[in-house]
Each structure stands twice: as structure tokens, then as C-alpha cells.
Amino acid sequence: MKTLIEELEQLLDGGTAHVGLNEATADIPFDLLGEKPHNLPYSIWQLVEHIRIAQWDMLEFSIDGSHKSPKWPDAYWPEETAPADKNMWDKTLRQIEDDLEAFIELIQTKDLYEPIPHGTGQNLLREALQIADHATYHIAEIVIMRRLLGIWKNS
């Protein structure tokens, strides 16, 4: 079990086969966070904020039987294309990190296979894999957007 938890921790923290969120969001010029390159339907800010909202929802679902998820899909995506200011951007990145740390602590201390009492068969293992899968998908989109904007390594 210890090996599985260590592997999940590594996967949740960005894994080893791809770029993690910290690398994907490092050194993005603030004025480009709201750009929608090549007619894409969202900006980097909207993707990062979407990751935050979805991860927060999965964490809260895992620990709080009275948690009410946001309305899908609208409440999982910010309407504004860019953060109001750098503080808002930093706060979003910090919350993603804090919520991820809280989820990792959860999988270190609870039974991964025990059904979540208020769920419909979900368990912490499923939630961990879903958090990692969801974030990885959108992190790849961030990297592609950075390439299109000419702000990725060797763009």
C-alpha cells in the first residue's frame, strides 16, 4: 500500500512523464493570461481556474458529506478571460497547491478503497486518479496555448 500511495503522490504532483502545473504556469507574462490564441474557446487563466475549481470540488466531495458541487458545467469555468490582478492569479495557484496537499494528506491517512459514505461507489483511489487525469489533460492544453503564444520553451 505504501508504494501505491507514493506513486499516487507523485502522479498528483505532476508525475514523471509530463510537465506539471508549476512548470506549465511558470513565468507567463501577466498580460497574456487572458489571451485566446487561434480562436480557442478559453484562455490560460480560464484553464487554471477550472483546474482549481474541479480539484477543490473533488477534495471537498471526498471529505464533506454536506458538500454541494457547483452546477456543471457553467460553474466550473470562470466567465472572465483573465484574472483581475496578479494577486488573484497567485491566489489561484496557491489554492491549487494547498488543496492538492490536503488531498495527498487524505490519501496518506485514509483507506483508498473504502467507499466514500455519501457517494455512489466512489473511493479515494478513484478521486486521486480523476484529479490527476483532469489536471494532466488541461495542463497539456496550457502548454499548447503557450506554444501558440510563443511563450513556451523553444517556441
Side-chain angles (χ1 to χ4, degrees), residues 10-131:
Q10 191 170 15
L11 179 64
L12 288 164
D13 199 32
T16 59
H18 47 79
V19 170
L21 184 66
N22 289 339
E23 187 177 354
T25 58
D27 303 319
I28 299 173
F30 183 79
D31 63 319
L32 294 179
L33 290 173
E35 291 294 315
K36 294 180 178 181
H38 298 273
N39 297 316
L40 288 176
Y42 35 71
S43 65
I44 291 173
W45 160 250
Q46 289 170 310
L47 285 170
V48 173
E49 182 66 358
H50 172 69
I51 291 169
R52 182 196 64 77
I53 294 165
Q55 179 180 271
W56 164 82
D57 183 40
M58 287 180 264
L59 169 63
E60 290 300 312
F61 168 76
S62 297
I63 60 177
D64 182 0
S66 64
H67 171 68
K68 300 289 184 225
S69 291
K71 184 177 184 214
W72 175 258
D74 297 337
Y76 283 82
W77 290 93
E79 289 182 25
E80 57 282 335
T81 58
D85 53 37
K86 180 139 175 28
N87 183 52
M88 186 178 196
W89 172 246
D90 292 340
K91 183 178 175 186
T92 290
L93 292 174
R94 201 167 35 254
Q95 185 181 348
I96 291 170
E97 191 172 308
D98 290 348
D99 287 349
L100 192 56
E101 285 177 19
F103 190 84
I104 288 172
E105 184 176 321
L106 193 62
I107 66 171
Q108 291 170 337
T109 58
K110 303 289 184 188
D111 182 347
L112 293 177
Y113 304 108
E114 183 179 326
I116 295 171
H118 51 276
T120 56
Q122 301 93 331
N123 58 40
L124 288 177
L125 177 59
R126 178 191 178 275
E127 294 303 305
L129 295 172
Q130 184 168 286
I131 287 170

